[in-house]
Amino acid sequence: MLLSSPLTPLPFHHRHYHPHIHLHQNAHSITKFNTFSCLHETPQPHHHDPQDLSLRNHNSKSTALLLQRLSHLPNPNPSHLRQHPDPQPSGHKAKLLERSLLRKRTPQFPGSISLDSSSLTSLDDEDDEHRMIMRALDIRRKVTAEIFKEFMRTKGKFGITYATNLVETLTEFLDYVMVQAAAMKLSPEFSSSTYNFRAKTVIEDSEVVPCIRWLKHNSLSYPQIGKLICLSKGDIGSIRRLALWLKSIHVKGRFIGVALVKAGDHFLERSNEELDEIVEYLESNGVRRDWMGCVMSRCPQLLSYSLEEVKTRAGFYLDMGINDKDFGTMVFDYPRVLGYYTLDEMNQKVDYLKEFGLSAEDVGKLLAFRPQLMGCSIEERWKPLVKYLYYHGITRDGMRRMLIIKPMVFCVDLDKTIVPKVKFFQDIGIHDDAIGKMLVKFPPLLTYSLYKKIRPVVIFLMTKAGVSERDIGKVIALGPELLGCSIVNKLEVNVKYFLSLGIHLRVLGEMIADFPMLLRYNIDVLRPKYRYLRRTMVRPLQDLIEFPRFFSYSLEGRIIPRYKVLIENCINLKLRYMLASTDEEFEERVKVIVERRKRFESGVTSEDVSNSQTGDDDEFPVKGAMLDESESEVELTMFDDGESEAESTMLDDSDSEAEL
């Protein structure tokens, strides 16, 4: 019977059914090896077949060890030992013998490191030693993670999923716990304690679990909590201290984590006194105390700057003439303008804006009104926009006007916002040369939504206001301000009012094509003028249809005074000749008409009269000092807007807010 020790397996040619070595049962040759017994038999002669000697090299060491042991047994087989010499060096024999004599590993705490059989043969290799150390650290880190999870579940009452997700973000803090627990081994108090006990002590003393509970209660996500704990470098108390400070300046709970994480790696090391100095300086320059929470939560980078750096950045804007009030509203409106961009970027953008012909003070006013300009890239946004506007015939002066009136135009995306709108204007019949003039005239047009604002207004004008498809391009080109009016609160109300006067829908469309601004006036402004035209001036509705610009003139400033002059001189003029001229031209016109009438009444011959006419045949008074309005009309293409009623008092601009 052939028995072998489990620690020393036989090579393949010794485990054949016809083995080379036969051990006969002998009671005197029974020896004990560990817990196994070997019954040795005396070898019997046997002829070795060379083909049966198929050696297995990977068991050669154990074979040599077995043969060495068998050499001490009775009746060894020297010839067989000489036939299979030991191919291994003596050093390997010693290590293999040591490994074979290793007793069973005693139970140890989780994470302990023991030398297994696979690593004994590579202790002399430095790379393998480094690999073993890294493996040991990885095992110790996993053990620490399990200890931390268990501590969170038992002490913090956290769920398994939350604890697992959070621990995955705490790699640096787990390393801190490992280092501290290892250092505690040098203390006499913990010299005989296990690693698990020391790691639990470090976690409990740091009070990290109550801090996690408090941060979670303040709406911080576990990635934010994990990053904060790692940034604290073991000083967990600094997180609570600075979180309470942020609450004192009115930072809301859900933004505390964002402010703490984005404030910088060294923010947790700053004292409350340093941060209070920054807040006091901003408050002295117009940033109100109740605005600080909004400012710091939207631009936490301000918390990472020193007081000198904050003063330098604030002085950059104050030197451009921005007063404290405008500076405070600018920072509140767009906090990144103060703390996000570098000083070089800020200087480059200001210099580029000056190329449009703006002075430093103008740029300061522009940034105070629209600080979002500082967030735009020169290469990616401004230069492509300028090139596109120049292609549509807009000069530098026109761009400066657009920049002053609606600086938001330089903040919107060119391909997604401006190009589709220009393409839409081309589709409704507006010529390319008129598009540039239209944009310069009304820059807010480019900030309106194409599908929510522009298209609905165009559809309304064509379907409800009587504007034909042929005239819609003209209406939009002459009155782009209509696209900023509310359909329900402005356009529809005005259309109903004009229809109520007896004007047909088709005629109203022609009036709008002649004077698109007709739909922008308030009803309270239109009603008194129409009443005065019909009741006092006793003019027919046709006069209003022929000259819809009548509503653009001030009732008290122009219509009533000039009508009184006509009554005093017994003159009747068409509305366009009565209103569409300056005061000097109107007085000269009235004087000529009165003089001609006097000559006519004094018996001047018609030949003399014809020789004295200046070409205003339509103004020649008939007998009775009245003019015949059936004469040919003089088409006026220009009229004095300087004396017309200011649009700011007549137009409702409440609906002209920009829509992005």
Side-chain angles (χ1 to χ4, degrees), residues 134 165 179 187 196 199 279 311 323 379 399 429 439 546 553 567 590 595 615 630 641:
M134 297 306 298
N165 294 336
V179 172
S187 175
N196 293 28
V279 172
K311 289 182 178 180
N323 55 33
E379 298 294 334
M399 296 179 191
L439 298 180
E546 294 177 355
Y553 296 99
I567 293 299
V590 172
E595 185 65 25
S630 65
D641 290 336

Side-chain angles (χ1 to χ4, degrees), residues 57-329:
N57 294 330
H58 62 279
N59 286 335
S60 57
K61 294 183 180 181
S62 56
T63 302
L65 182 62
L66 175 62
L67 295 176
Q68 183 179 5
R69 290 178 181 172
L70 292 177
S71 62
H72 300 287
L73 298 177
N75 301 325
N77 190 356
S79 61
H80 185 74
L81 292 176
R82 288 193 301 268
Q83 184 178 357
H84 299 282
D86 187 3
Q88 302 297 332
S90 59
H92 286 282
K93 292 181 179 181
K95 291 179 181 178
L96 289 173
L97 180 59
E98 180 182 359
R99 184 176 66 177
S100 65
L101 296 177
L102 284 175
R103 58 188 177 86
K104 186 177 180 180
R105 185 172 67 88
T106 58
Q108 297 179 353
F109 58 88
S112 60
I113 303 172
S114 61
L115 299 177
D116 54 3
S117 59
S118 62
S119 61
L120 285 173
T121 60
S122 59
L123 289 177
D124 296 334
D125 193 349
E126 294 182 358
D127 294 337
D128 292 342
E129 184 177 358
H130 176 73
R131 192 181 303 112
M132 175 176 289
I133 294 174
M134 297 306 298
R135 182 186 175 190
L137 290 175
D138 185 62
I139 294 174
R140 185 58 57 86
R141 187 178 290 111
K142 291 180 180 179
V143 172
T144 307
E146 294 297 329
I147 295 173
F148 194 86
K149 292 178 187 178
E150 183 65 23
F151 201 85
M152 287 186 64
R153 291 194 294 267
T154 57
K155 300 295 183 179
K157 306 300 181 182
F158 289 100
I160 298 176
T161 302
Y162 186 86
T164 303
N165 294 336
L166 179 61
V167 168
E168 291 178 356
T169 64
L170 295 176
T171 304
E172 297 180 9
F173 182 76
L174 294 179
D175 292 343
Y176 166 80
V177 174
M178 290 169 51
V179 172
Q180 294 298 320
M184 292 174 63
K185 185 70 173 178
L186 301 177
S187 175
E189 182 181 358
F190 300 97
S191 59
S192 60
S193 61
T194 63
Y195 172 80
N196 293 28
F197 177 78
R198 285 180 273 121
K200 290 181 180 179
T201 303
V202 173
I203 295 173
E204 185 174 7
D205 292 344
S206 65
E207 298 183 352
V208 63
V209 174
C211 183
I212 293 173
R213 172 65 65 184
W214 185 80
L215 294 174
K216 185 175 183 294
H217 177 73
N218 284 275
S219 305
L220 271 73
S221 61
Y222 65 82
Q224 293 175 338
I225 296 175
K227 186 173 182 179
L228 280 177
I229 293 176
C230 292
L231 289 176
S232 66
K233 300 178 181 179
D235 187 10
I236 305 299
S238 62
I239 300 177
R240 181 184 291 269
R241 173 178 60 83
L242 293 176
L244 293 175
W245 182 86
L246 290 174
K247 277 191 171 183
S248 67
I249 61 172
H250 309 290
V251 177
K252 296 183 179 180
R254 63 179 182 274
F255 297 120
I256 290 179
V258 178
L260 289 172
V261 172
K262 294 185 177 182
D265 296 341
H266 303 288
F267 172 64
L268 297 178
E269 300 175 4
R270 306 194 67 179
S271 63
N272 291 10
E273 291 74 14
E274 294 178 298
L275 300 174
D276 289 335
E277 291 178 353
I278 296 176
V279 172
E280 292 174 359
Y281 175 77
L282 294 177
E283 190 174 3
S284 64
N285 285 278
V287 184
R288 292 165 47 180
R289 184 79 180 186
D290 52 347
W291 292 352
M292 290 295 174
C294 179
V295 171
M296 297 303 177
S297 60
R298 294 170 62 189
C299 186
Q301 290 80 4
L302 281 172
L303 299 173
S304 62
Y305 297 139
S306 63
L307 180 60
E308 291 73 16
E309 179 70 15
V310 174
K311 289 182 178 180
T312 303
R313 291 175 171 271
F316 175 83
Y317 298 101
L318 297 175
D319 293 342
M320 289 189 291
I322 302 178
N323 55 33
D324 294 347
K325 183 178 180 181
D326 292 339
F327 178 80
T329 55

Side-chain angles (χ1 to χ4, degrees), residues 438-559:
M438 181 179 66
L439 298 180
V440 173
K441 181 180 179 181
F442 191 62
L445 177 64
L446 294 176
T447 62
Y448 294 151
S449 173
L450 177 60
Y451 296 98
K452 295 182 180 180
K453 192 70 174 178
I454 298 177
R455 285 171 57 93
V457 171
V458 172
I459 294 173
F460 175 83
L461 293 176
M462 297 178 64
T463 57
K464 302 296 183 180
V467 180
S468 63
E469 184 178 354
R470 180 192 61 186
D471 295 332
I472 187 62
K474 176 185 176 182
V475 171
I476 299 301
L478 295 178
E481 298 86 353
L482 289 176
L483 299 177
C485 297
S486 171
I487 295 178
V488 176
N489 299 327
K490 174 59 64 177
L491 300 179
E492 189 174 1
V493 174
N494 283 22
V495 169
K496 289 182 179 180
Y497 173 75
F498 288 115
L499 294 178
S500 67
L501 301 180
I503 302 175
H504 297 290
L505 184 62
R506 180 182 60 81
V507 177
L508 178 60
E510 295 176 355
M511 294 174 62
I512 296 173
D514 184 29
F515 185 57
M517 300 297 292
L518 187 66
L519 297 180
R520 290 198 64 210
Y521 295 109
N522 293 331
I523 299 299
D524 296 336
V525 175
L526 299 175
R527 187 176 290 111
K529 295 178 182 180
Y530 178 77
R531 187 183 300 114
Y532 187 82
L533 176 71
R534 299 285 285 168
R535 297 181 182 181
T536 304
M537 299 177 64
V538 195
R539 294 293 184 105
L541 182 62
Q542 186 63 30
D543 287 4
L544 182 62
I545 295 174
E546 294 177 355
F547 190 67
R549 286 184 176 86
F550 168 79
F551 290 108
S552 66
Y553 296 99
S554 172
L555 180 61
E556 300 294 337
R558 175 166 292 193
I559 298 176

